[in-house]
Structures are given as structure tokens and as C-alpha cells.
Amino acid sequence: MSKRPETIVLHTGHRADPTTGSVVPPIHQTTSYQFNSTEHAANLFALKEFGNVYTRIMNPTTAVLEERIAALEGGVAALATSSGQAAEFFAIQNICHAGDNFVTSTDLYGGTWTLFANTMKTMGIEARFVDPSDPENFRRATDARTRCYFAETLANPKLNAFPIAEVAKIGRELGVPLIVDNTAAPIICRPFDHGAAVVVHSTTKYIGGHGTSVGGIIIDGGNFDWEKHAERFPMLNEPDPSYHGAIWTQAVKPLGPIAYIIKARVTLLRDLGSAMSPFNAFMFLQGLETLPLRMKAHCENAALVAAHLSKHPSVKRIIFAGMHSDAEQKRRAAVYLKGGYGGLVGFELKDGMDAGRRFIDSLKMIYHVANIGDARTLAIHPASTTHSQLSAAEQARTGVTDGYVRLSVGIEHIDDIIADLDQALERSAVPLKRAS
Ligand SMILES: *Cc1c(COP(=O)(O)O)cnc(C)c1O
């Protein structure tokens, strides 16, 4: 089987359903599965054999999605979850317990920030936020209780590519795995190729691609030596009382380097229950089939939109991974993003808050929503919405200014996208005197 993305998304993990011949993976809308015998049932529960038990823990439709996305990212196995937030929480909770800490980039999706800074704190897990412009900040924040590093490939609003290889290398020296949220850059970045140990996605965004379903996934790179760093990972190297004393690095060894992802499935998903519904798995499989095509179109349109806006008199500044003026950011974008710079474009209006609001209110085709990765073009004005609770200083630290607008550029015809942007920009200009 070819390993190229365009083929993986159509063929990996399923070939003609054995009972019906169905070409498309069927939606297995069932909670449970008949055991062949008491011995079979006992083997499944003891992990001596792999098979379906109950849809909270695994499902055949979801399994195809997991296998396909694992292959796409170049990992060994994956675990789908009910949302991207659940995927991120599980990815960390799997190896980070009360009293432990992890080091995270400050450039984060808002929901991830609140999960790390507030909810995980109440569980006794400390998130140490560091500036990713200097990778050494990760080393400086590491101690004996640091269990992982966390970052996004291409975090908005700054849209800087994260230095994956640099931070992964520091982590491997110290025995700390890097978890990368690759939601904004599927296809164009493969974090495992640069040394990441675990990848997470909100499948809600580009993978689903049509704004229909919320979901997430964790992919195990199978490339981190949990046994070598046994003192840092007792949860994978000591008997687990929640699973009749299983030692995860030993229990599933014959099946490959999948200790991390198996533990997440059979303990966290079992206990916390944030499973993806089979119907949503089907929707994500459908989206996945055109992901390579769509990413190409998103990247092409975004580059054209960025070039057009950069020449517009109402626009003060463009924030786009393909247009950084800073030499190091330019280098990182070239190293980590291949075949395009993603579909996200930020820009700053000269006339600030009022112009930002007017621009959004004047859009006709482009949707005003808090989402990214839809086939449709989407826009949001963070200062009056997602970031309105932050102080001006906090907004500035996150990269949001009064006139900042974020676009998730879709796959419509470029002329129609630009026409809508242009007419809204014209109306956004603040008149010298208000009419009323
Ligand atoms: C949307 C998003 C999430 C959260 O995913 P949900 O599916 O909405 O729970 C996490 N990280 C990034 C980068 C996102 O864009």
C-alpha cells in the first residue's frame, strides 16, 4: 500500500466490508459486540486478544478513522475522542498526574489555554507557560516532575510555526516527550518527522472540513522510549491498579510500541468516557477523503488573499505564515510547512476597533463564526469577541490588537472571496462624521 497522503485517506484501514461488500466504511451504530465464547470474552478483557467490547472504548467505524489518521501522520496508532479539547486533556492526563507539571508554549488556542491554566490546575497539574521564540525556554522550565512539552504547529493569532525539532531534541535529551497540536496544519506538517512523540488534532476543523461535527484524535508516534525514562513515567512502567496491575510498557509489547495509546484507551476513555460517536467518525472519514485536495486549495487561496490584503490601503499589517518579516519566523515556516502555509490569515485594520466591527458586519458571503477549517471562508474580530474579556495588555501579549481580524480562508473561487473582502473593507472605513 502506498504511503502517500492522497491514497491513505481513501484506502487505509478498510477494504470492502467482509459481510456486505460495502466500499465505504459502514456506520456501526451499536453499543456492544457479541463475544464468540467465554474464553474469547476473557481474552479481550485481559488484552490477550484485540477486539470490540463496547463502543465507549472502541468501535469499528471509529477504528478506520484512527488507522487512517495514524497512517497519515506517520504514527503507530490513534485514539479518537469526542472533541479536540478531550484529545488534548487525555494526551496530557495519560502521563501527568497531580503534583506533576508540563511545559507549554504560550501560543495556544483559547480553549486549550483555559483548560491548562484553570481546570488542570484544580487537578493539581501545573502548566508552565513559556515563550516559544527561544526553544531553550522549554529546557529552563523542566524539572524532575515535568512529564511532557506541549505546543501547536501554527497557533493563531501570531501564526508562527513552532520550532518542533528544536524543542523535541531538548525533550529527548531530558526524557520529555513533545505533544504537538497539529489542528491548523494537517498534510502540510508532519510533526513526527521532526521528532514529536504524540500528535493531537481537533478533527472538528480541517479534517472534518465541512463544519458538521465536533471531534478529536490522539496519535502515538511510537518513537518515544518510555522504559528508558522509567523514573519520569511511573504510570507506564509500574503496575496499574486500575487494570489488574498491568505494566503498560510490558503488557502490550508484542503488539508494538503502543503502550501510551493503549493505556489512554483502556483507562482514560474507559473511565472518563469522552468517546467519538460512530456517526461523527463517519463524517470525519468523509472529510478526510478530500483533506489533501482541500488543504492545497486552502493554502493557495490564503496566499492569494494575503497578497491582495497586503496591498490594500485600509490594511496596516498582514499576519500570514508565508509572509513573516522576522528572519527566524520565516525560516521556521519554510522548515515546518510544506506545500503551503495553511489557510489562516490575520490582518490589522488601520482604523482599529470600530473598523474591525464594521468590516465584520459588512461581510456578505464570508461567515462570522468562531471556527476554522471549514470549506467556507470564515472571519472573526477577536477584540470584540473571543478576546474581549482580556485587558489591553493581555490582548497585546496574545497578539490581538483592536483592528485585528482573523480569516480562515475557504475553498470558494478566489475572486468571490476577494470581492467580499473588498466590499467589506470599503464599508469598514470609519467616516469622519457619523450619520446619526
Ligand atoms: C478548535 C481547536 C481545539 C479544540 O477542539 P474542539 O474540537 O473544538 O474541542 C484545540 N486546538 C486547536 C488548535 C483548535 O483550533
Side-chain angles (χ1 to χ4, degrees):
M1 174 60 68
S2 169
K3 289 280 199 302
R4 291 176 180 82
E6 295 81 355
T7 312
I8 289 170
V9 295
L10 294 165
H11 291 283
T12 299
H14 174 84
R15 175 135 204 113
D17 184 67
T19 53
T20 62
S22 171
V23 169
V24 169
I27 305 174
H28 290 280
Q29 195 69 31
T30 183
T31 55
S32 35
Y33 310 84
Q34 163 88 343
F35 304 122
N36 301 335
S37 64
T38 50
E39 190 196 354
H40 177 225
N43 283 347
L44 291 177
F45 277 89
L47 298 179
K48 281 186 192 151
E49 257 181 80
F50 269 160
N52 299 312
V53 173
Y54 190 65
T55 283
R56 177 164 13 90
I57 302 165
M58 74 276 278
N59 173 277
T61 309
T62 309
V64 179
L65 180 74
E66 290 165 340
E67 201 174 327
R68 256 174 216 181
I69 294 180
L72 196 62
E73 285 288 3
V76 291
L79 173 66
T81 56
S82 56
S83 70
Q85 288 292 110
E88 292 180 358
F89 175 63
F90 280 15
I92 294 168
Q93 168 75 9
N94 202 33
I95 47 172
C96 201
H97 297 171
D100 296 341
N101 67 73
F102 64 102
V103 183
T104 177
S105 165
T106 45
D107 291 352
L108 290 176
Y109 172 75
T112 307
W113 184 288
T114 54
L115 168 66
F116 289 179
N118 304 300
T119 300
M120 290 183 85
K121 188 175 175 186
T122 66
M123 298 172 162
I125 296 173
E126 182 199 355
R128 298 182 171 178
F129 293 88
V130 299
D131 179 353
S133 53
D134 181 2
E136 288 297 321
N137 286 338
F138 281 79
R139 190 195 305 275
R140 289 181 200 113
T142 305
D143 65 18
R145 295 295 294 269
T146 303
R147 302 301 185 225
C148 60
Y149 296 156
F150 187 95
E152 292 180 23
T153 315
L154 188 61
N156 67 75
K158 290 179 191 164
L159 299 179
N160 292 332
F162 182 77
I164 302 173
E166 291 88 334
V167 174
K169 183 163 172 285
I170 293 168
R172 283 177 193 272
E173 281 169 31
L174 303 175
V176 179
L178 171 62
I179 302 173
V180 174
D181 179 341
N182 199 30
T183 300
I187 307 289
I188 58 172
C189 180
R190 292 218 317 177
F192 293 140
D193 294 348
H194 304 286
V198 173
V199 167
V200 297
H201 278 278
S202 165
T203 54
T204 313
K205 314 294 169 55
Y206 288 102
I207 289 174
H210 299 81
T212 64
S213 317
V214 172
I217 197 161
I218 309 167
I219 306 115
D220 187 342
N223 60 19
F224 193 84
D225 194 343
W226 307 102
E227 276 188 88
K228 185 176 162 199
H229 305 289
E231 74 296 341
R232 225 185 250 288
F233 303 103
M235 58 295 276
L236 288 170
N237 288 286
E238 286 173 13
D240 186 340
S242 91
Y243 216 100
H244 47 65
I247 297 173
W248 294 111
T249 48
Q250 309 305 320
V252 291
K253 218 172 202 171
L255 300 165
I258 56 169
Y260 170 89
I261 203 76
I262 284 292
K263 175 186 179 280
R265 181 184 298 279
V266 302
T267 67
L268 295 182
L269 202 59
R270 175 196 64 185
D271 297 348
L272 299 172
S274 310
M276 180 180 282
S277 83
F279 181 77
N280 279 9
F282 177 85
M283 296 303 280
F284 294 130
L285 280 166
Q286 199 66 23
L288 196 65
E289 293 195 353
T290 56
L291 180 67
L293 279 177
R294 281 185 289 107
M295 281 313 287
K296 218 169 150 191
H298 282 295
C299 289
E300 280 171 15
N301 277 352
L304 292 168
V305 163
H308 178 78
L309 292 176
S310 69
K311 289 182 238 124
H312 199 284
S314 305
V315 173
K316 188 158 101 186
R317 194 165 65 99
I318 294 284
I319 303 96
F320 179 56
M323 272 190 191
H324 286 305
S325 50
D326 176 83
E328 176 58 10
Q329 294 307 337
K330 210 183 176 92
R331 186 194 69 80
R332 289 180 188 175
V335 167
Y336 294 110
L337 306 174
K338 296 290 178 202
Y341 294 99
L344 303 177
V345 177
F347 65 96
E348 200 177 328
L349 287 160
K350 280 187 184 138
D351 294 328
M353 178 75 89
D354 223 13
R357 283 215 181 103
R358 282 163 174 273
F359 171 81
I360 294 284
D361 287 335
S362 304
L363 290 169
K364 289 185 174 148
M365 178 188 80
I366 295 170
Y367 279 93
H368 176 209
V369 297
N371 190 22
I372 62 164
D374 196 305
R376 299 154 191 83
T377 300
L378 315 174
I380 198 155
H381 177 231
S384 65
T385 56
T386 53
H387 289 63
S388 59
Q389 281 95 355
L390 304 189
S391 68
E394 285 172 323
Q395 285 192 5
R397 212 178 313 141
T398 62
V400 167
T401 55
D402 279 356
Y404 180 88
V405 172
R406 183 192 73 202
L407 300 174
S408 173
V409 179
I411 62 172
E412 301 96 338
H413 195 285
I414 186 63
D415 294 351
D416 295 326
I417 299 172
I418 285 180
D420 197 27
L421 292 172
D422 279 352
Q423 66 82 20
L425 281 169
E426 202 169 307
R427 285 178 171 75
S428 76
V430 180
L432 290 174
K433 253 189 212 148
R434 290 287 184 98
S436 53

